[in-house]
Amino acid sequence: MFTQEEKDAFYKVIYTRRDIRSFLPIPIERNVIDNILHAGHHAPSVGFMQPWNYILISSEAIKEKLAWAADKERRAMAIHFEGERESEFLSLKVEGLKEAPLTICVTCDPTRGGSHILGRNSIPETDALSTACSIQNMWLAACAEGLAMGWVSFYKKNDIRDILDIPPHVDPIALLSVGYTDAYPDKPILETANWEKRSRLGHLIFENRWGNCCGSHSQIK
Amino acid sequence: MFTQEEKDAFYKVIYTRRDIRSFLPIPIERNVIDNILHAGHHAPSVGFMQPWNYILISSEAIKEKLAWAADKERRAMAIHFEGERESEFLSLKVEGLKEAPLTICVTCDPTRGGSHILGRNSIPETDALSTACSIQNMWLAACAEGLAMGWVSFYKKNDIRDILDIPPHVDPIALLSVGYTDAYPDKPILETANWEKRSRLGHLIFENRWGNCCGSHSQIK
């Protein structure tokens, strides 16, 4: 169904995608944004619930407020990283909300589709997991379009609800910064900054039950 | 960075991927499984936490037990869909756990990486959302490899923990059925079965604040 060239192109997107926090002040074409949103909307969702909404934020005033909420949370979180880890944390650039020309707030409405959603009746958080699948589609699409994206998860949800008039029952899952960048790194920023290493995949794979390491995968890095 | 051909190939995967419940008894090559797992492991994760494990289940005896847990939950859930919706629900094929040659249980370990994970300190469920991003990468990779995948979310988590020896603090996020199929549908199964319709994307997009519909997107289907 897919040629080797098509597979290669797909995997190129998978392995090129990065979480970015530095953006250039270059506007994004409307049709490119639409391509990203369209890919997001074609993610899988539990019971075909499609619990997501996409709030496109280009207003400078509103982006300022979002950046304020994220910075407040960043400073609060720094207190929990004590000693050396605190100064290391404070030196990281954790968001680029004011730089990026566009922020997309992706939300999850747990009431979408009625009270009994096929699959969600068993595991309620599958609505948020579906929304994460939508975000991952958007992230990969942004990468394919030559754009950079960063997922900001430093905020108190009620600050974001207040700033964007989001109803109390709706969950602001992510603030996605979107824009062009001149700093598309080969490796995750947190790996380069020696914050955390990539785990060896072979150590994360078990066979038939938890803890049962499988020999043939142990060579996978 | 990406040619038009590469972008087209990427979007072909995004729009071809489907949730499948019917599988052929054809074994899957080991290197193809490795490609899927490798793509999953290169998903983004909060604070580069990589909270996932992948349990590969090919044992018939264990697949039987998983199918038993899913069927038990399916029958319990049917009771909540009353009247016509109940018989409609019971006529749906909601899983193919026994048919598929491989089931992958994807788990999330909230303790991975220590007590204070960058980003997860603010929003704890970002560990599970990261795991969903990994699952979406795997799903797309399976599609690119010509394989079918189905996400089963009908179960009590403790049944799955008991069957697969998963520790109590680790969350069995998904059971993914993987295999070849002769029934790769153009549309979501739940759309074809008239269970649920695809929402119009233009109605899900707001500008700068919740509820503020943006005209230029209202034409998007």
PDB file of all heavy atoms in Angstrom, chain B residues 23 88 99 149 159 181 200:
ATOM      1  N   PHE B  23      -8.534  -9.182  11.725  1.00  0.00           N
ATOM      2  CA  PHE B  23      -7.136  -9.475  11.391  1.00  0.00           C
ATOM      3  C   PHE B  23      -7.010 -10.843  10.749  1.00  0.00           C
ATOM      4  O   PHE B  23      -7.808 -11.747  11.004  1.00  0.00           O
ATOM      5  CB  PHE B  23      -6.284  -9.410  12.663  1.00  0.00           C
ATOM      6  CG  PHE B  23      -6.350  -8.075  13.352  1.00  0.00           C
ATOM      7  CD1 PHE B  23      -7.281  -7.843  14.362  1.00  0.00           C
ATOM      8  CD2 PHE B  23      -5.522  -7.027  12.961  1.00  0.00           C
ATOM      9  CE1 PHE B  23      -7.371  -6.597  14.983  1.00  0.00           C
ATOM     10  CE2 PHE B  23      -5.609  -5.792  13.579  1.00  0.00           C
ATOM     11  CZ  PHE B  23      -6.532  -5.574  14.594  1.00  0.00           C
ATOM     12  N   GLU B  88     -27.676  -2.145  18.967  1.00  0.00           N
ATOM     13  CA  GLU B  88     -26.734  -1.572  17.997  1.00  0.00           C
ATOM     14  C   GLU B  88     -25.297  -1.782  18.505  1.00  0.00           C
ATOM     15  O   GLU B  88     -24.418  -2.206  17.767  1.00  0.00           O
ATOM     16  CB  GLU B  88     -27.011  -0.063  17.899  1.00  0.00           C
ATOM     17  CG  GLU B  88     -27.023   0.523  16.502  1.00  0.00           C
ATOM     18  CD  GLU B  88     -27.175   2.051  16.566  1.00  0.00           C
ATOM     19  OE1 GLU B  88     -27.976   2.580  17.373  1.00  0.00           O
ATOM     20  OE2 GLU B  88     -26.461   2.736  15.814  1.00  0.00           O
ATOM     21  N   GLU B  99      -7.970 -12.719  17.309  1.00  0.00           N
ATOM     22  CA  GLU B  99      -7.565 -12.849  15.898  1.00  0.00           C
ATOM     23  C   GLU B  99      -6.165 -12.316  15.628  1.00  0.00           C
ATOM     24  O   GLU B  99      -5.393 -12.914  14.885  1.00  0.00           O
ATOM     25  CB  GLU B  99      -8.508 -12.031  15.001  1.00  0.00           C
ATOM     26  CG  GLU B  99      -9.864 -12.629  14.780  1.00  0.00           C
ATOM     27  CD  GLU B  99     -10.740 -11.662  13.986  1.00  0.00           C
ATOM     28  OE1 GLU B  99     -10.211 -10.897  13.153  1.00  0.00           O
ATOM     29  OE2 GLU B  99     -11.961 -11.663  14.210  1.00  0.00           O
ATOM     30  N   MET B 149      -4.071  -1.731  12.995  1.00  0.00           N
ATOM     31  CA  MET B 149      -3.993  -1.645  14.451  1.00  0.00           C
ATOM     32  C   MET B 149      -5.367  -1.266  15.010  1.00  0.00           C
ATOM     33  O   MET B 149      -6.122  -0.530  14.364  1.00  0.00           O
ATOM     34  CB  MET B 149      -2.940  -0.601  14.847  1.00  0.00           C
ATOM     35  CG  MET B 149      -2.616  -0.580  16.326  1.00  0.00           C
ATOM     36  SD  MET B 149      -1.282   0.615  16.741  1.00  0.00           S
ATOM     37  CE  MET B 149       0.167  -0.398  16.557  1.00  0.00           C
ATOM     38  N   ASP B 159      -7.829  -5.992  35.907  1.00  0.00           N
ATOM     39  CA  ASP B 159      -7.823  -7.282  35.199  1.00  0.00           C
ATOM     40  C   ASP B 159      -6.552  -7.398  34.350  1.00  0.00           C
ATOM     41  O   ASP B 159      -5.902  -8.443  34.331  1.00  0.00           O
ATOM     42  CB  ASP B 159      -9.052  -7.398  34.283  1.00  0.00           C
ATOM     43  CG  ASP B 159     -10.316  -7.830  35.031  1.00  0.00           C
ATOM     44  OD1 ASP B 159     -10.190  -8.409  36.134  1.00  0.00           O
ATOM     45  OD2 ASP B 159     -11.422  -7.593  34.516  1.00  0.00           O
ATOM     46  N   THR B 181      -4.685  -7.227   7.611  1.00  0.00           N
ATOM     47  CA  THR B 181      -6.136  -7.320   7.466  1.00  0.00           C
ATOM     48  C   THR B 181      -6.499  -7.279   5.996  1.00  0.00           C
ATOM     49  O   THR B 181      -5.729  -6.760   5.176  1.00  0.00           O
ATOM     50  CB  THR B 181      -6.839  -6.156   8.209  1.00  0.00           C
ATOM     51  OG1 THR B 181      -8.248  -6.394   8.230  1.00  0.00           O
ATOM     52  CG2 THR B 181      -6.596  -4.804   7.535  1.00  0.00           C
ATOM     53  N   ARG B 200     -17.842  18.683  11.747  1.00  0.00           N
ATOM     54  CA  ARG B 200     -17.304  19.613  10.763  1.00  0.00           C
ATOM     55  C   ARG B 200     -16.188  20.405  11.433  1.00  0.00           C
ATOM     56  O   ARG B 200     -16.416  21.081  12.447  1.00  0.00           O
ATOM     57  CB  ARG B 200     -18.433  20.536  10.324  1.00  0.00           C
ATOM     58  CG  ARG B 200     -18.093  21.258   9.071  1.00  0.00           C
ATOM     59  CD  ARG B 200     -19.343  21.787   8.416  1.00  0.00           C
ATOM     60  NE  ARG B 200     -18.903  22.766   7.432  1.00  0.00           N
ATOM     61  CZ  ARG B 200     -19.646  23.221   6.471  1.00  0.00           C
ATOM     62  NH1 ARG B 200     -20.880  22.790   6.350  1.00  0.00           N
ATOM     63  NH2 ARG B 200     -19.166  24.111   5.632  1.00  0.00           N
TER      64      ARG B 200
END
